[in-house]
Amino acid sequence: TNPRFDAEAVAEELSVSYGFNVTVVHDATRRQMLDSLNAFASRHYGDQDQLLVFFAGHGSYDEQYIQDGFVVAADSKTAADDTYKDTMVQYNWIRRRLANAASDHVLLVLDVCYGGTFAEQLGSGNARSGDELYQSVSTAELVNRKLKYRTRRYVTSGGKERVPDGVPGEHTPFVRRLLEALRTYGGEDGVLTMSEVYSYLERVDPEPRAGEFDRNEPGSDFLFIAK
C-alpha cells in the first residue's frame, strides 16, 4: 500500500543519506503507536541529536465533540462505530508527548488527512527560518547556531481537509516532493534546512502546513545533514 511504500522510502533516505537511526513501525495498532511514541520521546539524546516522527496513513477529525484531529490506527473502528474516536490517536496527545520529549530538537511530519489541525490554530504554511542570516558562515557554524535552540516544528500534508493518497503503488504527492527535497542532499554545504524542504513542499495541492509548537525558540531549526 502507499503508506508502507512512502514510509520505507523516507526511512531509507534518512538512514542512507543522512545517517538517521531509523525505526519503522508498519500497520501499527493504537497501543503500538502510543508505545512507540513514548519510547522515542523517552530515549537519551545528546545536545545536537534530533528526533523526527513521520506518520504515513489515514487521519480523521472530530467536529462535534473534541474539535481535534486523529491518526487512524490499524485497529481503529470506523467513525460511525467510534463516536468519540477512542480507538484513534488524538493529535493533542501526540503534541503533548512530543512537547515533553527528551530531545531538544523535534520535527513531526504528518502525511494524513486533516493533519493541519495538529496546530491549535491553523498556520499559514510559512516555514521560513531566517536562512539568509547564515548564508556566509561555515557549515559547522551553521549547524551550531541552528541547533543551539530548542526546536519543536511540524509539517503536514494539508490543512483541515482530506489529502490525496496518490496513484496505487506510487508515492503520495506530498511524499514525492519530500523525497525530492531530501535527494538534494543539502546542496553545496550538505545541510538541508526546513525552509529549503518547504520550498519543495509548498507547490503541492492541497497546500501543506508548517509551523511550531510548545515553546519553539526563535532561531531554531531542524537540519538534515548529509553524510
Side-chain angles (χ1 to χ4, degrees), residues 48 105 129-151 217-221 223:
Q48 293 193 348
H105 312 288
S129 58
D131 291 350
E132 64 279 359
L133 299 177
Y134 303 118
Q135 286 179 351
S136 62
V137 302
S138 68
T139 299
E141 180 65 13
L142 171 69
V143 172
N144 287 334
R145 288 187 186 185
K146 285 184 172 287
L147 295 185
K148 184 167 60 175
Y149 304 106
R150 173 184 169 89
T151 308
E217 292 186 335
S220 68
D221 207 338
L223 303 179

Side-chain angles (χ1 to χ4, degrees), residues 184-219:
T184 65
Y185 309 118
E188 292 184 3
D189 63 4
V191 178
L192 184 64
T193 66
M194 282 308 301
S195 61
E196 290 170 335
V197 170
Y198 196 78
S199 70
Y200 280 80
L201 298 177
E202 63 186 352
R203 294 183 179 274
V204 177
D205 185 27
E207 180 186 7
R209 304 299 179 104
E212 58 188 57
F213 65 101
D214 189 69
R215 304 190 313 278
N216 180 75
E217 292 186 335

Side-chain angles (χ1 to χ4, degrees), residues 126-187:
N126 188 342
R128 303 303 298 176
S129 58
D131 291 350
E132 64 279 359
L133 299 177
Y134 303 118
Q135 286 179 351
S136 62
V137 302
S138 68
T139 299
E141 180 65 13
L142 171 69
V143 172
N144 287 334
R145 288 187 186 185
K146 285 184 172 287
L147 295 185
K148 184 167 60 175
Y149 304 106
R150 173 184 169 89
T151 308
R152 291 293 186 274
R153 292 178 175 269
Y154 70 88
V155 180
T156 75
S157 55
K160 187 180 176 181
E161 60 204 335
R162 300 187 65 83
V163 295
D165 293 331
V167 178
E170 297 186 12
H171 296 301
T172 65
F174 175 83
V175 167
R176 183 181 181 87
R177 294 294 286 175
L178 176 60
L179 288 170
E180 287 180 7
L182 292 174
R183 288 168 182 168
T184 65
Y185 309 118

Side-chain angles (χ1 to χ4, degrees), residues 57-150:
H58 300 288
S60 185
Y61 186 79
D62 177 75
E63 189 75 62
Q64 184 174 2
Y65 299 106
I66 303 174
Q67 291 83 50
D68 196 7
F70 299 79
V71 174
V72 177
D75 59 346
S76 294
K77 297 179 181 178
T78 64
D81 295 326
D82 190 7
T83 302
Y84 304 110
K85 307 292 191 294
D86 293 326
T87 64
M88 304 177 190
V89 179
Q90 188 177 354
Y91 291 166
N92 186 53
W93 191 94
I94 298 172
R95 181 168 52 245
R96 289 177 179 273
R97 189 63 192 94
L98 293 182
N100 295 310
S103 173
D104 284 338
H105 312 288
V106 177
L107 172 65
L108 172 68
V109 181
L110 288 171
D111 188 12
V112 299
C113 292
Y114 308 103
T117 61
F118 173 82
E120 292 178 302
Q121 293 183 336
L122 284 177
S124 65
N126 188 342
R128 303 303 298 176
S129 58
D131 291 350
E132 64 279 359
L133 299 177
Y134 303 118
Q135 286 179 351
S136 62
V137 302
S138 68
T139 299
E141 180 65 13
L142 171 69
V143 172
N144 287 334
R145 288 187 186 185
K146 285 184 172 287
L147 295 185
K148 184 167 60 175
Y149 304 106
R150 173 184 169 89

